[in-house]
Each structure stands twice: as structure tokens, then as C-alpha cells.
Amino acid sequence: SNFNIMDKLLRLPSVFLEPARIAPTYNKVVCHLHFRSYIPGPMDFYIDFARRAAYALNMPCSGTVYLPTKTSRWTVIRGPFVHKKSQENFERKTHKRLLVIKDANRSVVERWLWYLTQNCPGGVGMRVTLWEWDELGVGRKMLDEAKGKEERRLLKDVENLSSESGENNKQVIQ
């Protein structure tokens, strides 16, 4: 009987299963994609869509990270005069989720984000944080370039001063 259940599970289409994942190679975080929504159902469905799209683009994507749900409560009086003591309470829950992309090419991540924004359902908000990784020694190169630019600017200032003083000397001689 266990064999029949397992056989049926193996024959399920991949749409009904957990999205496949690619293991990261270098474990370098490239993108955080935050999702927010007041209704968790459409957001979770869309996150599943985003994970499947990341797999199709060969990007290592984490599973869904559930962030704390924020609850906002407020009270409003029903009427200003006679019904002042009668109040109504309201509550709104903001559900948050996170996807982490690792070891992916920047252009592929940007194409994936463009695709997701084109197909985003109403009521689901997204916030993207992108990182760029550079080789070691980039700070030294930037410092050398900045010093070179500063020296060139100072040299131009000295040339301008010498040309202006030369014109003044010519005027004095004439």
C-alpha cells in the first residue's frame, strides 16, 4: 500500500511539487527580494512563481524566508456627538517574505526582476536590494585614480595661474 502512494506521488506533475533549487557555488549574495502584502495567499503564489522563474534562469535562489508579520491596530469613534462612547476597532496585518539570490550574473538578475515586475499581481509589493562584488584591491585603484585626477586638476590650476601672470607681465611691458 505504501508503494502505491509513493508511485502516485512520483507521477504528480512538477507544478504541484516544491520548486526545484540550484545550489550556490560561491555563496555570494547578489540580491534580496522583499515581498509585502496584506493578503498572504496571492503573495505566496507569486513567490512560488518567482522561484520557478529563478530556476528556469539557472539562478541559485533560497527558499521562502518568512519575516515577522506586522500588526497595526487603531480605534475610531463611530460618531462625534451622541455615539461618542461607541468606538470601532480595526486591525491590519502586513505579511512579509524574502528571497535571496546568490552567485548570479547581474544582467540575469536584472532580467529576472524585470520579468517579475511585469507579472506582479495587484496587492503585492516588492523591494529589491542589489549587491555588486568587485575584485580585491579595488580601493587602492580608486585611490590612485582619485590622486591622479587631483594632480591633473592642480597642474591645470598652476598652468592657468602662470598664463594669467604672463599676460599681466605683457601688459606691464607694453
Side-chain angles (χ1 to χ4, degrees):
S1 110
N2 285 341
F3 180 73
N4 292 336
I5 293 172
M6 288 302 291
D7 192 39
K8 288 180 182 179
L9 284 175
L10 291 175
R11 281 192 257 149
L12 275 176
S14 62
V15 173
F16 297 108
L17 302 175
E18 180 80 13
R21 288 170 38 176
I22 296 171
T25 313
Y26 303 106
N27 220 18
K28 294 290 182 192
V29 176
V30 176
C31 175
H32 275 182
L33 184 58
H34 292 262
F35 294 92
R36 289 181 184 207
S37 179
Y38 300 129
I39 307 167
M43 179 177 59
D44 290 336
F45 180 78
Y46 186 62
I47 290 171
D48 184 75
F49 171 76
R51 289 179 60 195
R52 291 176 194 278
Y55 179 77
L57 291 171
N58 205 22
M59 294 188 327
C61 180
S62 72
T64 306
V65 179
Y66 289 81
L67 300 174
T69 301
K70 181 182 177 187
T71 304
S72 303
R73 293 186 180 102
W74 61 94
T75 304
V76 178
I77 57 174
R78 289 189 182 170
F81 301 113
V82 179
H83 306 289
K84 187 160 185 126
K85 291 185 179 180
S86 174
Q87 298 181 346
E88 240 179 313
N89 296 316
F90 295 97
E91 176 180 276
R92 178 173 62 196
K93 291 187 177 185
T94 306
H95 303 272
K96 299 181 239 175
R97 309 281 190 268
L98 171 70
L99 287 181
V100 179
I101 303 295
K102 297 180 178 180
D103 301 334
N105 189 344
R106 173 113 181 169
S107 62
V108 176
V109 172
E110 288 175 355
R111 179 61 60 101
W112 176 68
L113 292 171
W114 176 84
Y115 181 66
L116 291 180
T117 55
Q118 295 299 313
N119 295 296
C120 187
V124 176
M126 293 190 304
R127 185 179 78 209
V128 179
T129 307
L130 290 171
W131 281 274
E132 281 191 36
W133 295 91
D134 222 332
E135 71 275 356
L136 289 174
V138 71
R140 173 67 60 196
K141 289 178 187 174
M142 291 174 66
L143 185 62
D144 292 342
E145 287 177 12
K147 284 181 180 177
K149 289 178 184 176
E150 181 68 19
E151 289 171 0
R152 285 193 295 269
R153 188 181 64 78
L154 289 173
L155 185 61
K156 287 181 183 177
D157 290 346
V158 169
E159 288 174 355
N160 290 339
L161 286 174
S162 64
S163 66
E164 289 174 4
S165 63
E167 290 173 5
N168 291 340
N169 289 342
K170 288 178 185 175
Q171 292 174 355
V172 169
I173 293 173
Q174 292 174 353

